[in-house]
Amino acid sequence: KFWEEQGWNYDGVGWYRLRFAAPAVPAGRKVALVVGAADESATVWLNGRKAGVHDVEEGWDKRFSLDITGSLAPGRENQITFRVLDTTCAGGLWKSIKIMSPK
């Protein structure tokens, strides 16, 4: 949900952080982080390495994906961090986030 739908009347920077265990990935397979939507812009780090940036000009309501193959630590604990900037109206990570390894 947007920040405002959760009771926070706020415009500015918000931080999200999550630790998770990643399963093993078969050798040679790419791994992608797929974010349903970030309003308005987002910078993403995985295990302390910058994974990428999604800017409002690319669409506050658009899905985006980042190649995290080199940053993910399969079989170990990982930490993902998002810095989301919202300058007006609703904001935040408001759609699902998935880690995928297409065959």
Side-chain angles (χ1 to χ4, degrees):
K1 290 183 174 183
F2 292 111
W3 296 329
E4 287 77 2
E5 292 175 3
Q6 298 178 54
W8 299 98
N9 186 15
Y10 175 71
D11 291 325
V13 171
W15 291 87
Y16 297 80
R17 184 176 4 186
L18 176 70
R19 292 176 194 255
F20 64 96
V25 177
R29 292 230 332 237
K30 298 276 185 185
V31 181
L33 174 71
V34 181
V35 179
D39 186 10
E40 296 166 18
S41 61
T43 304
V44 183
W45 293 267
L46 181 59
N47 297 322
R49 293 177 62 188
K50 190 173 184 178
V53 176
H54 176 76
D55 194 279
V56 67
E57 292 176 4
E58 297 162 347
W60 65 271
D61 62 343
K62 303 290 188 235
R63 178 178 62 199
F64 67 94
S65 64
L66 302 169
D67 183 349
I68 59 169
T69 306
S71 298
L72 188 70
R76 299 194 332 235
E77 183 176 82
N78 291 261
Q79 180 175 293
I80 190 163
T81 305
F82 289 84
R83 179 190 183 274
V84 178
L85 172 63
D86 171 45
T87 59
T88 185
C89 299
L93 297 174
W94 60 282
K95 288 192 177 180
S96 66
I97 299 170
K98 299 175 183 174
I99 295 176
M100 304 175 71
S101 182
K103 292 183 178 181

